[in-house]
Amino acid sequence: MFKLEKTDQTLLIVVGILTLFAPFILNPFPEGSAMAQFNAGYPDLMQRFVIFGIFAIGFNILFGLTGYLSFGHAAFLGVGSYAAVWMFKLLSMNVIPAIILSVVVAGLFSLLIGFISLRRSGIYFSILTLAFAQMMFALAYSVLTPITGGETGLQLALDDPRIFGASQTPEGNIPVPGLFGLEMRDSFDLVMGSWVFTFNIGYYFCAMVMIASFYLAIRIFRSPFGLMLRAVKSNQQRMNYTGLNTRPYTLAAFVISGMYAGLAGGLMASMDPLAGAERMQWTASGEVVLMTILGGAGTLIGPVLGAGFIKYFENIFSKINSTILHEWFAFLPDGLEDFIVAILYPFIGKGWHLTLGILFMMVVIFLPGGLVEGGQRIRSWLQKRKSEKNTPNGSTEPAE
Amino acid sequence: MGILEVKNVGKRFGGLQALSDVNLSVRENSVHAIIGPNGAGKSTLLNCLVGKLIPDTGSVMFDGQSVLGRAPYEINQMGISRVFQTPEIFGDLTVLENMMIPCFAKRDGAFELNAISAIPAQRDIMEQAEHMLEDMNMADKRHMHAAAMSRGDKRRLEIGMCLSQQPRLLLLDEPTAGMARADTNNTIDLLKQISDERDITIAIIEHDMHVVFSLADRITVLAQGTPLVEDDPQNIKGNPKVREAYLGESA
Ligand SMILES: Nc1ncnc2c1ncn2[C@@H]1O[C@H](COP(=O)(O)OP(=O)(O)OP(=O)(O)O)[C@@H](O)[C@H]1O
Ligand SMILES: [Mg+2]
């Protein structure tokens, strides 16, 4: 099925099921319970999971396969967002043309930037991409204000000259992005006992796009082109003396990953039709690097896991405040309670970066293959335990 | 006129004249050995042939066309493959994948955006690669990581990769260094076989005289960056100049 190998097919199906049932899976705790704040099943966050998943999947095609570490990919996400918002302003509120333009514009920008940056490799390549991204951020933030909205960002207005569609709704509001009549922000709540599950059109649209992107990434990984990209990472010298020109291979990978970033940016603007320069800042570029490494660079599923992990932390851990901590530890004697809260406090709320940083360091040091390697280790450990149980005398079969 | 014509090539590294006034003519379909003591400039000469270095003076013609100023991948596509002194293979890939890459390069050229079809669907490439692995006696290692192999096996893989491109000129830089005796003999047999069966010219740098005298039709002795003599093997053995510069030294 899908022209994939068995394991890849299974992976795709699992990812598909998880994304489709995410509103259930991410909301395991009943509404109003103490644990409810760990629920992540609200539309805004779920959209971010899959959008950043797409961003990281694309980034991994460049970094995971060729080893070229771009520090400027947020720039492509940013131009994707601007392109989409302009499409909403000028053409129509349908998300399809907006997203197409996002991908095309991001592709053009990455072609130009990639063409120049790929003249160097290693750290110099990274610095070049960083420099380009920062230039684009600076341009978007100030010089190009008429196009980008500068500091305030690019927003829809009541007098946008939309060619297909009205400038205002009959009620005098700004229309919202949609897909042939389906509004992206529309949701449907399913109440089951004390649980509430929200199904959001925007989320499901993004989820479909992510599954398609993931499928495409699998095909690229398993293609002759994917093999060439891994060969670039392994030994460029051998490539050259085998009659292969590495430059167009790396450039193609760069452009493809830039287009993925543009797609993510376009989706972001489709969920919430505004675009700001901060999306292009170097911290945003760094974030996708973290996602990819944390999840497992060069693996198929790693970047998606990494993106989910970081976005969960950002949104859930950052909301825990000292009042909540006090509630949790209220059962302890007062002095001890204050002491524990004081110790934990730096790691929560605004301090979630600290927790994330520590986790990231642990992963890089102990699990260089990222979360995927962690999963593999747990699985082989479980298998070992199982086989030990089956052979009571303790003699285990050697692996392989 | 040989298939490879090197004329008056000179190359300087700072204060060191690594090559000076090198003339070399390699006849088509012959095995030409280049020997000489360590540091004689043998590898540097090969580097000038494959586009890794550009000589300061002189010309290098392959089949009537100059190779100078061309990128290594272009020179390779002209029909020159090279095996390096330290094995250059794709360590992160499996042995089979290593073997497939030159097959792709041969079929599709320097760049081809074939990003959607699955690798196993490339039947012809798979067959060629598997076939070459069998020829090299490495079929059982096909799923091994190339980096995990012994040095001798890496070298044999590299030779196989170059051969699967069906080059017109094969350059070998000490192909048997680091190989066990049995592997060395296998390699000699293999090289003999391909030079007999195929239209291929081989230029080989080698320290092992057993290898040199079993294979070479013609020998050039290089010392301190200049060719000392170029002659047939039987004449080289007795040449006093060679004995002094090279054989005498190692005896
Ligand atoms: N890139 C370089 N920069 C500076 N010097 C170099 C460079 N490459 C080679 N040399 C020097 O040029 C001389 C010739 O080196 P070369 O590698 O060609 O020798 P060789 O004949 O291949 O020796 P061996 O038998 O040890 O492989 C040596 O003295 C070496 O140190
Ligand atoms: Mg050498």
Side-chain angles (χ1 to χ4, degrees):
Chain A
M1 212 189 342
F2 312 124
K3 290 191 176 173
L4 294 181
E5 300 268 319
K6 196 101 178 89
T7 47
D8 294 340
Q9 189 186 311
T10 315
L11 185 64
L12 180 68
I13 292 172
V14 169
V15 169
I17 291 174
L18 289 181
T19 33
L20 293 185
F21 289 95
F24 293 108
I25 299 164
L26 294 173
N27 258 6
F29 306 111
E31 205 65 12
S33 71
M35 299 298 279
Q37 61 193 307
F38 288 106
N39 281 341
Y42 53 95
D44 192 38
L45 181 54
M46 288 196 299
Q47 288 164 5
R48 244 171 288 163
F49 281 152
V50 287
I51 291 174
F52 278 92
I54 293 171
F55 189 20
I57 290 170
F59 186 76
N60 190 40
I61 291 177
L62 178 69
F63 175 56
L65 289 180
T66 70
Y68 276 79
L69 177 55
S70 162
F71 259 110
H73 256 51
F76 306 127
L77 186 138
V79 295
S81 285
Y82 285 123
V85 175
W86 272 111
M87 214 59 173
F88 293 138
K89 284 167 101 61
L90 299 180
L91 190 77
S92 99
M93 292 308 288
N94 191 323
V95 295
I96 300 285
I99 288 170
I100 291 175
L101 189 73
S102 304
V103 174
V104 170
V105 171
L108 292 176
F109 271 90
S110 48
L111 187 64
L112 178 71
I113 293 177
F115 184 79
I116 299 169
S117 305
L118 285 165
R119 304 180 78 82
R120 292 283 169 271
S121 61
I123 188 75
Y124 300 99
F125 166 79
S126 304
I127 298 293
L128 279 172
T129 53
L130 177 63
F132 271 112
Q134 282 304 91
M135 284 193 288
M136 285 170 66
F137 166 72
L139 285 179
Y141 196 73
S142 56
V143 184
L144 295 178
T145 301
I147 300 175
T148 61
E151 278 177 55
T152 42
L154 186 63
Q155 292 169 352
L156 299 186
L158 283 168
D159 56 354
D160 284 331
R162 205 161 289 117
I163 299 174
F164 300 108
S167 299
Q168 302 180 11
T169 59
E171 297 84 43
N173 295 325
I174 297 174
V176 293
L179 182 69
F180 308 115
L182 291 172
E183 288 186 3
M184 287 296 136
R185 61 172 187 194
D186 268 0
S187 288
F188 153 71
D189 280 346
L190 175 69
V191 183
M192 292 172 81
S194 46
W195 278 269
V196 180
F197 303 108
T198 309
F199 300 88
N200 172 258
I201 304 237
Y203 167 70
Y204 275 101
F205 178 70
C206 294
M208 292 300 175
V209 177
M210 190 199 80
I211 293 170
S213 314
F214 187 61
Y215 172 67
L216 184 65
I218 299 180
R219 292 293 291 266
I220 292 175
F221 265 62
R222 303 296 182 226
S223 71
F225 175 67
L227 177 65
M228 293 302 172
L229 297 185
R230 286 189 291 136
V232 167
K233 183 178 184 178
S234 184
N235 191 342
Q236 291 221 21
Q237 164 123 319
R238 193 10 104 202
M239 285 280 281
N240 288 325
Y241 294 100
T242 307
L244 294 160
N245 190 358
T246 52
R247 193 76 70 74
Y249 280 106
T250 46
L251 184 58
F254 193 90
V255 172
I256 291 172
S257 75
M259 288 165 81
Y260 266 82
L263 175 64
L267 284 173
M268 238 180 237
S270 302
M271 297 304 109
D272 187 7
L274 52 85
E278 74 289 341
R279 268 181 207 171
M280 310 170 92
Q281 221 170 355
W282 67 274
T283 47
S285 295
E287 195 179 54
V288 73
V289 179
L290 293 192
M291 287 172 177
T292 309
I293 294 176
L294 190 70
T299 65
L300 283 166
I301 190 67
V304 184
L305 292 180
F309 196 85
I310 288 185
K311 285 295 148 190
Y312 185 83
F313 258 78
E314 182 184 281
N315 290 279
I316 304 295
F317 262 67
S318 64
K319 286 211 197 92
I320 305 172
N321 55 31
S322 62
T323 327
I324 295 174
L325 278 188
H326 276 290
E327 267 171 38
W328 285 355
F329 296 102
F331 63 93
L332 293 172
D334 267 355
L336 194 58
E337 177 188 328
D338 289 343
F339 178 69
I340 288 190
V341 170
I343 287 187
L344 290 181
Y345 186 69
F347 296 94
I348 52 146
K350 288 216 167 69
W352 73 275
H353 279 114
L354 194 58
T355 319
L356 182 68
I358 292 171
L359 278 171
F360 184 73
M361 285 194 298
M362 307 251 274
V363 165
V364 169
I365 293 169
F366 297 109
L367 291 174
L371 297 175
V372 168
E373 189 187 334
Q376 282 164 349
R377 282 205 202 164
I378 290 172
R379 204 165 68 185
S380 64
W381 180 74
L382 286 178
Q383 272 166 1
K384 217 173 91 191
R385 258 179 52 137
K386 212 164 110 192
S387 67
E388 266 168 13
K389 265 193 201 143
N390 291 346
T391 48
N393 56 6
S395 73
T396 49
E397 296 292 312
E400 286 181 290
Chain B
M1 269 285 276
I3 188 167
L4 181 74
E5 291 285 339
V6 177
K7 290 245 161 68
N8 305 325
V9 160
K11 180 74 196 175
R12 200 178 177 83
F13 295 119
L16 175 80
Q17 189 72 37
L19 294 176
S20 53
D21 222 10
V22 176
N23 288 288
L24 183 74
S25 172
V26 178
R27 255 184 298 126
E28 191 153 11
N29 296 337
S30 68
V31 179
H32 195 124
I34 300 165
I35 61 172
N38 289 114
K42 305 179 296 293
S43 298
T44 306
L45 177 60
L46 283 206
N47 288 343
C48 292
L49 306 184
V50 296
K52 190 169 186 182
L53 290 175
I54 299 176
D56 306 328
T57 58
S59 68
V60 179
M61 305 289 279
F62 174 69
D63 197 23
Q65 283 182 299
S66 175
V67 305
L68 299 186
R70 291 181 201 253
Y73 76 89
E74 290 172 318
I75 296 174
N76 176 278
Q77 291 283 356
M78 287 167 76
I80 304 182
S81 282
R82 173 176 181 185
V83 174
F84 284 81
Q85 189 163 353
T86 39
E88 292 281 355
I89 51 170
F90 302 108
D92 303 333
L93 307 186
T94 67
V95 171
L96 179 60
E97 286 170 333
N98 266 274
M99 202 55 102
M100 283 177 351
I101 287 174
C103 299
F104 276 118
K106 176 82 185 164
R107 190 190 72 180
D108 298 339
F111 173 70
E112 169 91 21
L113 188 63
N114 193 350
I116 295 301
S117 83
I119 290 174
Q122 313 284 315
R123 288 274 159 68
D124 52 331
I125 300 282
M126 294 294 276
E127 263 168 36
Q128 272 175 42
E130 293 273 5
H131 198 82
M132 198 67 217
L133 283 180
E134 263 152 40
D135 283 357
M136 301 301 296
N137 255 329
M138 303 186 91
D140 53 326
K141 299 197 169 75
R142 62 161 74 79
H143 294 306
M144 216 168 142
H145 255 219
M149 295 197 300
S150 72
R151 199 181 154 101
D153 279 347
K154 286 180 187 165
R155 178 61 59 43
R156 278 199 302 149
L157 174 62
E158 195 183 3
I159 296 174
M161 288 165 70
C162 288
L163 285 178
S164 62
Q165 291 199 292
Q166 299 168 329
R168 298 181 57 205
L169 174 63
L170 177 64
L171 305 174
L172 299 155
D173 199 343
E174 302 191 27
T176 65
M179 274 190 198
R181 193 77 242 172
D183 280 341
T184 302
N185 288 334
N186 280 341
T187 309
I188 294 175
D189 291 344
L190 178 83
L191 292 174
K192 253 201 189 116
Q193 189 193 336
I194 56 162
S195 75
D196 289 346
E197 286 174 4
R198 300 187 189 180
D199 286 337
I200 191 171
T201 313
I202 298 177
I204 180 171
I205 293 176
E206 190 53 78
H207 281 298
D208 185 333
M209 286 307 134
H210 171 60
V211 179
V212 171
F213 288 111
S214 348
L215 285 173
D217 303 314
R218 191 98 181 143
I219 297 177
T220 295
V221 183
L222 207 63
Q224 292 170 347
T226 349
L228 219 50
V229 265
E230 183 185 322
D231 215 331
D232 292 341
Q234 64 269 23
N235 300 335
I236 292 287
K237 272 186 197 163
N239 190 315
K241 273 206 311 201
V242 177
R243 285 193 164 277
E244 190 194 318
Y246 187 77
L247 298 175
E249 197 178 86
S250 63

